[in-house]
Amino acid sequence: MPGYSTNEWTKYISLEMGEIEICDVTLRDGEQTPGVAFTREEKIDIARMLDEIGIEIIEAGFPATSQGEKESVKAIASLGLNAKICCLSRAIKSDIDAVIDCGADMVGMFVGTSDLHLKYKHKKTQDEIIDCAVEALEYAKRHGLIVRFSPEDGSRTGLDFLKRFYRAGEEAGADYVGAIDTVGIMTPATMRFMVGEILKTVKLPIAVHCHNDLGMAVANTLAAAEAGAKQLHTTTNGIGERAGNAALEEVLMNLRIQYGVDKYDTTRITDLSRMVQKYSGICMAKNKAIVGDHAFAHESGIHIAALLENDRTYEVFSPELVGGKREFILGKHSGSKALCYMARQMGYTLSEAETTQVLCEIKRLSELKKSIRRNELKDLIDHVVGQKFNTPEASAP
């Protein structure tokens, strides 16, 4: 039996899933999270682990923002990783020069295309913005960079203009075009439609970049992949500006379980998550999918009894697959099987009466909002069982 269950329902739907690659943007968009600033050493640690997992592209930063950022990107580009190193750039020559100076392989070049961005940020017409973007693209290509040509706020850009933008990028030599949901407004249905329209317009691979403002970044990323997008953008733990980006750990595990994409070493996911939590100062919710403290924690007696027979009954994949650990927690919903199992793991064999007594105490404590973990159970058993042998009746001659 594999370490995970597969989704049998996918056989009923038509998918366009092709050759997928991940571009992780933790070191760039993740660092745009308010209050987050990685040191050069922290960036290097994260980049190395992303590379060990098998991530194909690491977006190492936005070198035009500061000299320190530029030096960090240079350091990552010089590590000799298997992953290609990408940098973000506006569609201006000085930004591209900074990318070139870093020794990066790829540039993610962007310019705002929605009416809002054209009017209030760029103060340019549609034709003017295309001319600027194409000029910058051609400059980057002349200097040997792989170019991802992206319309910022593309998901709020009119379709006709969006198609003109993509065609101009293809004609100028872009290597990728971006389906960019800058403000997280898309749904899986609209994302599939958008990717489908791009595929009708150009023959270039599509990179999808989703934000989580409405809580659908991962779903939209997977929908784009189903529709034919190749490059999926993620951040570790889903960090990023505002509500964040598509979470790397959720995208990777969905790719494996839903679509059978198993080319990534997912056993490093939990270690990477904890590293990024430590370096960013942003802790995950206990119930966070894949990497939360409760992702493999079970309290229900019905669930635990079944898990002891076969762990697939209440887990879609084993915790070892992501470097996690299963944990049984005792509380008001727990039963004797879970208690006796945990007690045996610690070397105790409880009688039926002792089991009942300990379980009653566990349920009493749970009413006080207290759950019992393994390290606390030993003290509880010692206390309850010890009381049995220290009553006046038991000590009488």
Side-chain angles (χ1 to χ4, degrees):
M1 180 181 292
Y4 58 95
S5 302
T6 56
N7 187 346
E8 291 297 315
W9 292 89
T10 57
K11 67 187 178 186
Y12 296 111
I13 61 176
S14 175
L15 301 178
E16 298 295 331
M17 183 72 68
E19 183 63 28
I20 293 298
E21 64 184 20
I22 301 294
C23 175
D24 188 83
V25 298
T26 303
L27 300 180
R28 198 277 300 170
D29 217 335
E31 198 182 34
Q32 289 176 209
T33 307
V36 173
F38 299 122
T39 67
R40 184 189 310 184
E41 291 71 24
E42 289 169 347
K43 284 196 170 194
I44 288 172
D45 287 346
I46 294 169
R48 287 189 189 279
M49 193 170 290
L50 287 168
D51 193 54
E52 290 167 6
I53 288 171
I55 302 307
E56 291 89 351
I57 302 165
I58 297 171
E59 191 160 293
F62 192 169
T65 59
S66 71
Q67 186 61 31
E69 178 81 345
K70 188 174 177 180
E71 293 304 319
S72 292
V73 174
K74 274 186 179 180
I76 293 169
S78 68
L79 293 175
L81 303 179
N82 292 317
K84 289 185 175 67
I85 304 304
C86 179
C87 296
L88 193 70
S89 164
R90 293 168 295 179
I92 58 178
K93 181 177 178 293
S94 59
D95 277 23
I96 296 166
D97 285 338
V99 174
I100 295 166
D101 290 345
C102 289
D105 305 295
M106 178 184 295
V107 60
M109 196 182 72
F110 71 94
V111 64
T113 54
S114 68
D115 288 344
L116 283 166
H117 281 232
L118 291 175
K119 180 177 180 179
Y120 295 106
K121 189 171 78 169
H122 296 304
K123 304 187 189 315
K124 293 182 182 295
T125 66
Q126 291 180 347
D127 288 340
E128 287 172 337
I129 212 68
I130 285 180
D131 289 343
C132 290
V134 166
E135 183 179 351
L137 165 57
E138 290 173 340
Y139 181 77
K141 290 300 297 180
R142 286 199 302 272
H143 287 80
L145 290 169
I146 301 167
V147 178
R148 186 177 67 230
F149 189 70
S150 296
E152 186 184 19
D153 208 21
S155 56
R156 293 192 297 180
T157 299
L159 183 57
D160 290 342
F161 177 50
L162 205 56
K163 288 182 175 181
R164 277 211 296 136
F165 183 86
Y166 289 132
R167 289 192 192 102
E170 183 177 45
E171 291 169 5
D175 299 282
Y176 295 81
V177 291
I180 312 299
D181 188 17
T182 303
V183 296
I185 200 171
M186 299 295 270
T187 68
T190 55
M191 183 57 79
R192 287 189 193 94
F193 176 79
M194 182 185 197
V195 171
E197 290 300 303
I198 298 171
L199 288 171
K200 292 176 187 175
T201 304
V202 295
K203 293 181 171 60
L204 298 176
I206 297 171
V208 60
H209 182 96
C210 295
H211 280 265
N212 204 43
D213 297 73
L214 291 172
M216 289 191 285
V218 170
N220 289 339
T221 298
L222 296 171
E226 290 175 354
K230 176 179 180 178
Q231 186 183 108
L232 312 183
H233 288 202
T234 64
T235 61
T236 305
N237 298 333
I239 63 173
E241 56 186 330
R242 303 186 313 279
N245 296 60
L248 171 67
E249 58 280 1
E250 295 176 24
V251 170
L252 290 189
M253 290 310 298
N254 271 284
L255 288 175
R256 188 162 192 169
I257 289 165
Q258 314 287 5
Y259 316 105
V261 178
D262 62 355
K263 60 181 177 176
Y264 302 103
D265 182 4
T266 57
T267 63
R268 306 301 305 277
I269 283 177
T270 298
D271 286 342
L272 175 64
S273 171
R274 289 172 180 167
M275 176 187 287
V276 172
Q277 288 182 66
K278 177 182 177 182
Y279 290 167
S280 67
I282 298 177
C283 296
M284 294 296 97
K286 289 181 182 292
N287 65 339
K288 168 72 168 65
I290 318 296
V291 296
D293 287 348
H294 289 175
F296 304 99
H298 305 273
E299 181 188 317
S300 167
I302 295 171
H303 289 203
I304 293 173
L307 282 160
L308 292 174
E309 297 295 325
N310 185 311
D311 57 18
R312 290 290 76 75
T313 53
Y314 284 100
E315 289 175 351
V316 71
F317 59 91
S318 62
E320 292 80 11
L321 198 58
V322 295
K325 292 182 180 179
R326 181 179 300 113
E327 183 178 18
F328 293 158
I329 298 174
L330 300 176
K332 68 182 291 185
H333 304 102
S334 301
S336 59
K337 283 191 177 181
L339 170 58
C340 290
Y341 172 80
M342 292 180 68
R344 284 196 303 272
Q345 295 293 101
M346 295 185 291
Y348 294 94
T349 301
L350 300 178
S351 69
E352 186 175 343
E354 290 167 344
T355 299
T356 299
Q357 192 174 0
V358 174
L359 202 54
C360 284
E361 182 62 12
I362 288 170
K363 291 179 182 291
R364 185 188 71 80
L365 290 171
S366 73
E367 298 294 342
L368 302 175
K369 301 185 182 296
K370 172 69 174 175
S371 295
I372 304 299
R373 294 176 182 267
R374 180 187 174 94
N375 60 331
E376 298 161 316
L377 180 59
K378 181 181 185 303
D379 292 338
L380 180 58
I381 291 175
D382 288 343
H383 174 71
V384 171
V385 175
Q387 280 187 333
K388 174 183 175 182
F389 296 107
N390 288 295
T391 60
E393 294 82 0
S395 61

